[in-house]
Amino acid sequence: MNPILTRLGLADHDPQLLHDRRGTTLYRAGDTAVKITSGLMAGREGEILRVLGAEPYRDHGWDGERSWLALRWIDGISLWDALDPAHQDVTPATRHRILTKVGAAVRALADLHAVGWTHGDLQPDHIIFEGDTTHLIDLACAQGPADVPFYVHRGGLAHTTAPEIATAILTSDDHVATTPQADIWSLGASLWWSWTRTTPIAYTDPAARRPQLLADVAAARRADLTSTRPWPFPQLEELIMACLAADPGSRPTAKELASRFPRA
Ligand SMILES: Nc1ncnc2c1ncn2[C@@H]1O[C@H](COP(=O)(O)OP(=O)(O)OP(=O)(O)O)[C@@H](O)[C@H]1O
Ligand SMILES: [Mg+2]
């Protein structure tokens, strides 16, 4: 039994190991999710969630070289899964349901940006819909106006990274500052990927290592949406393309996008 789970009194709650990769271990024990990372990232995420007053936050702490974060288990579906019905049919009802979800995701990002924070690693699995609530999860890389532990940010998942962030990563070894505009690209990339099931960048070699993938991102080698989508979905695609403007200043803000979606 992991000693952190024992300390949290979760050993008797049938803890299930959900994943153990890249220095992160994630357990579910009853209605609690516990994330344990080597280094400070889980603890950093806990500090951020506490500052933000995020409801799923329960507790976090430090344990030698590791840190941990306890959250309420979110019983919802990811953006990726939420777009599934859009692949089944083209009925107005399905499209309305999908656009309602997209609107909820956009509002969640607008709320985060409104309090001065950027997510820094938005991807299809980091947006979770639970009833009427939309959660942006995995805020470990978030940047904002609070004194949380510093780490040198070198970008998130390549597939959803904005070109200007990819350029910053490739041209210097310094800490990379995230921006709301880069989050908007990541949102557009997450929507493109969830909609077409292929990434928005046409990689020179999809099996290449991260620097080569980032070089293609930096060059904004955009794939062809019309040949990868199941069928046209104009309202969704117009929003995606606006988010994927090469010039960060030309991308809509999350607040502007939110105003296009009246609350359901
Ligand atoms: N509180 C929660 N409730 C439900 N599911 C969760 C919760 N926290 C995390 N998950 C699930 O675990 C996955 C991994 O969590 P998270 O993204 O925070 O960790 P990670 O180490 O960054 O993983 P990855 O490397 O896959 O991004 C999420 O995509 C989500 O499916
Ligand atoms: Mg994650």
Side-chain angles (χ1 to χ4, degrees), residues 242-264:
C243 294
L244 297 186
D247 170 14
S250 300
R251 294 173 204 150
T253 64
K255 191 176 170 189
E256 283 161 2
L257 288 177
S259 70
R260 299 187 197 176
F261 294 91
R263 255 169 222 282

Side-chain angles (χ1 to χ4, degrees), residues 19 21-22 24 26 35 72-74 125-126 137-138:
H19 83 229
R21 58 180 178 236
R22 295 191 296 273
T24 300
L26 192 93
K35 187 168 165 177
R72 178 179 65 78
W73 180 261
I74 300 168
D125 283 345
H126 290 167
I137 67 156
D138 198 359

Side-chain angles (χ1 to χ4, degrees), residues 158-254:
H159 297 328
T160 47
T161 295
E164 69 277 12
I165 298 287
T167 301
I169 297 166
L170 293 173
T171 53
S172 148
D173 293 328
D174 294 344
H175 173 72
V176 173
T178 60
T179 64
Q181 293 92 337
D183 275 353
I184 292 290
W185 174 286
S186 301
L187 175 70
S190 299
L191 288 168
W192 174 308
W193 194 7
S194 302
W195 169 225
T196 66
R197 302 308 203 209
T198 61
T199 59
I201 298 297
Y203 295 114
T204 318
D205 172 9
R209 297 174 67 83
R210 181 175 166 87
Q212 181 57 54
L213 297 183
L214 287 175
D216 288 337
V217 174
R221 280 177 51 90
R222 197 174 299 136
D224 175 21
L225 184 67
T226 59
S227 63
T228 52
R229 67 186 175 194
W231 40 62
F233 189 165
Q235 295 116 303
L236 176 63
E237 290 168 5
E238 192 267 323
L239 186 143
I240 290 173
M241 298 317 285
C243 294
L244 297 186
D247 170 14
S250 300
R251 294 173 204 150
T253 64

Side-chain angles (χ1 to χ4, degrees), residues 51-223:
V51 166
L52 288 171
E55 173 278 316
Y57 169 79
R58 286 192 171 158
D59 201 359
H60 73 278
W62 316 89
D63 179 56
E65 297 293 299
R66 299 182 298 179
S67 58
W68 57 269
L69 169 65
L71 301 168
R72 178 179 65 78
W73 180 261
I74 300 168
D75 195 8
I77 63 164
S78 65
L79 176 68
W80 182 269
D81 290 337
L83 260 76
D84 242 2
H87 298 104
Q88 312 303 325
D89 66 68
V90 293
T91 61
T94 296
R95 296 201 154 181
H96 179 74
R97 260 169 61 211
I98 299 295
L99 291 172
T100 301
K101 290 272 191 296
V102 172
V106 160
R107 267 197 296 277
L109 187 59
D111 289 347
L112 184 70
H113 289 173
V115 290
W117 284 83
T118 48
H119 186 287
D121 189 19
L122 266 188
Q123 45 183 279
D125 283 345
H126 290 167
I127 301 174
I128 304 189
F129 305 102
E130 183 189 42
D132 291 337
T133 307
T134 304
H135 304 272
L136 301 183
I137 67 156
D138 198 359
L139 282 149
C141 301
Q143 295 179 17
D147 190 15
V148 296
F150 177 79
Y151 79 104
V152 176
H153 180 62
R154 298 290 297 154
L157 183 71
H159 297 328
T160 47
T161 295
E164 69 277 12
I165 298 287
T167 301
I169 297 166
L170 293 173
T171 53
S172 148
D173 293 328
D174 294 344
H175 173 72
V176 173
T178 60
T179 64
Q181 293 92 337
D183 275 353
I184 292 290
W185 174 286
S186 301
L187 175 70
S190 299
L191 288 168
W192 174 308
W193 194 7
S194 302
W195 169 225
T196 66
R197 302 308 203 209
T198 61
T199 59
I201 298 297
Y203 295 114
T204 318
D205 172 9
R209 297 174 67 83
R210 181 175 166 87
Q212 181 57 54
L213 297 183
L214 287 175
D216 288 337
V217 174
R221 280 177 51 90
R222 197 174 299 136

